[in-house]
Amino acid sequence: MKVLITGATGLVGKQIVDDLHEKGHVVHYLTTRQEAIKDEPNYKGFLWNVKEGSIDVKCLDGVTNIIHLAGETVFQRWTDDAKKRIMDSRVFSTQLLIDTLKNNKHQVEHVTTASAIGIYPDQQDGRALKENEIPPTASNFLADVCIAWEKIGALFTQLGLKHSIVRIGIVLSDKGGALDQMSKPVKYYAGAGFGNGKMWQSWIAIDDLSGIFIHIAQEQLEGVYNGVAPNPVRNRNMMETIGKVIGKPVFLPNVPKFVMKMMLGEMSAIVLSSQHVSSEKIEKAGYTFEYRELESALQNYLS
Ligand SMILES: NC(=O)c1ccc[n+]([C@@H]2O[C@H](COP(=O)([O-])OP(=O)(O)OC[C@H]3O[C@@H](n4cnc5c(N)ncnc54)[C@H](OP(=O)(O)O)[C@@H]3O)[C@@H](O)[C@H]2O)c1
């Protein structure tokens, strides 16, 4: 395959690039930064500016698959400006890709766009949420973003292309992201759960997330797939397992919800929300997880 990736320089994108290279595939990528441009036989960068609607159409040369991950980070204070950047970077980048495909000759057959499990309603019980269970109206800003992103992504099919969506859970990696933030206080014996500690956290090892994106592209799967591991855990359990693996027990009481809200503002919704999400559909579609249990994933990424 020759795959065009947006967000290839980010946490998830880098892993997908490495794994595609290992399998002998060629990667083109779109970046907003001149300094991130490389020109190697199997890794070629192209510039785009989503705000201005500009894109180097040579990025499509020989490309058969697109993986669209790019978007302004949600891990920042959700001011009005930040919210606009978070929403616009996803919706307008998707529209720019659609317009570019519509107006240029290309060989693209399949597109996968990212989304997040934040689209699901907040739910404390352990019933596994499947891909068809989204509420008619969004309960918070993150769900709003996911709904808008998925809605515009669906337009790829109007161009006669196969399209799929991966709803990404909490990504565990040794190169930053959520695990780095969660494990930092634990290392100083300051680890604790959040709120009542009972929120379901649907995590996924970055190797499996990358594997899912590549499996979907190779098999040209269509529709929505949850990008989560088979065994979500509750928040307190997550923190205690991190403590166990690092060898620094988590014994402090949970940080109350109002403190989290004071510290993080509206963005606290990311850490306080509870979603027990099902991995059944992607497993039935032929993907075999490397990390099914939290402890084995943590041993890999925290050791
Ligand atoms: N990591 C997670 O836990 C998680 C969970 C759920 C969903 N997701 C979603 O999955 C996608 C990838 O996640 P990630 O963790 O790899 O994200 P990331 O590390 O923040 O990387 C995102 C990439 O998007 C590009 N980007 C940033 N702002 C942009 C803008 N305004 N316009 C165009 N491109 C922009 C950047 O590429 P350049 O600098 O090269 O332009 C950046 O490398 C994101 O959309 C994220 O929301 C991630």
Side-chain angles (χ1 to χ4, degrees):
M1 295 187 290
K2 196 186 233 190
V3 186
L4 173 64
I5 305 184
T6 76
T9 60
L11 182 75
V12 178
K14 276 186 195 153
Q15 183 70 44
I16 297 176
V17 170
D18 286 350
D19 292 346
L20 282 169
H21 282 161
E22 204 168 288
K23 290 175 187 288
H25 301 294
V26 174
V27 174
H28 280 189
Y29 63 99
L30 282 163
T31 176
T32 55
R33 293 170 295 125
Q34 177 67 48
E35 69 274 17
I37 295 282
K38 289 194 178 158
D39 188 0
E40 295 163 7
N42 64 353
Y43 188 58
K44 226 178 163 64
F46 300 85
L47 279 175
W48 69 341
N49 184 320
V50 173
K51 233 179 182 174
E52 291 172 8
S54 68
I55 182 168
D56 184 347
V57 296
K58 290 198 285 300
C59 68
L60 290 177
D61 282 356
V63 163
T64 51
N65 297 68
I66 296 178
I67 294 178
H68 178 33
L69 307 166
E72 169 93 15
T73 182
V74 299
F75 297 108
Q76 59 179 306
R77 247 180 201 276
W78 290 356
T79 60
D80 287 349
D81 275 359
K83 280 181 168 177
K84 188 168 160 43
R85 288 196 305 273
I86 290 167
M87 177 69 93
D88 289 357
S89 60
R90 287 171 173 77
V91 172
F92 294 155
S93 61
T94 309
Q95 186 64 58
L96 184 53
L97 286 173
I98 290 170
D99 292 344
T100 307
L101 289 166
K102 204 191 283 177
N103 299 327
N104 292 277
K105 272 197 166 171
H106 65 82
Q107 291 88 50
V108 176
E109 296 166 5
H110 186 271
V111 183
T112 308
T113 50
S115 179
I117 60 169
I119 198 166
Y120 291 115
D122 205 45
Q123 152 253 38
Q124 293 278 339
D125 64 59
R127 196 179 46 85
L129 292 161
K130 296 201 174 161
E131 285 78 351
N132 56 358
E133 293 194 50
I134 52 167
T137 51
S139 51
N140 62 35
F141 169 66
L142 214 49
D144 245 340
V145 172
C146 294
I147 288 172
W149 203 11
E150 291 195 8
K151 198 170 159 196
I152 192 156
L155 300 181
F156 283 109
T157 57
Q158 291 186 3
L159 303 178
L161 303 174
K162 291 178 180 160
H163 175 242
S164 66
I165 292 170
V166 179
R167 290 190 185 138
I168 303 174
I170 299 167
V171 180
L172 304 185
S173 159
D174 56 2
K175 299 187 179 70
L179 184 56
D180 190 40
Q181 295 304 318
M182 288 189 291
S183 59
K184 245 183 222 158
V186 180
K187 286 177 187 158
Y188 300 102
Y189 292 100
F194 308 136
N196 65 10
K198 291 186 179 156
M199 303 84 75
W200 283 105
Q201 299 204 301
S202 295
W203 58 275
I204 182 161
I206 192 148
D207 291 276
D208 278 319
L209 182 60
S210 169
I212 287 173
F213 271 101
I214 293 173
H215 180 73
I216 287 175
Q218 271 174 332
E219 301 300 318
Q220 301 211 344
L221 301 181
E222 294 178 86
V224 182
Y225 292 89
N226 291 327
V228 296
N231 294 298
V233 296
R234 293 194 188 266
N235 167 257
R236 183 78 201 184
N237 185 351
M238 166 73 80
M239 298 308 293
E240 286 177 357
T241 312
I242 291 174
K244 183 178 169 196
V245 170
I246 296 180
K248 309 227 166 144
V250 169
F251 54 84
L252 294 176
N254 293 342
V255 183
K257 208 170 173 175
F258 78 91
V259 176
M260 299 298 295
K261 282 190 173 160
M262 257 169 20
M263 277 162 42
L264 302 173
E266 197 183 344
M267 192 257 258
S268 60
I270 297 179
V271 283
L272 292 173
S273 66
S274 176
Q275 285 113 357
H276 186 288
V277 179
S278 166
S279 62
E280 192 182 310
K281 188 174 172 191
I282 191 64
E283 289 190 273
K284 282 195 173 147
Y287 184 74
T288 306
F289 280 88
E290 195 177 340
Y291 298 100
R292 302 182 69 82
E293 303 294 337
L294 178 66
E295 196 168 329
S296 66
L298 291 178
Q299 262 153 6
N300 185 53
Y301 297 114
L302 287 175
S303 60

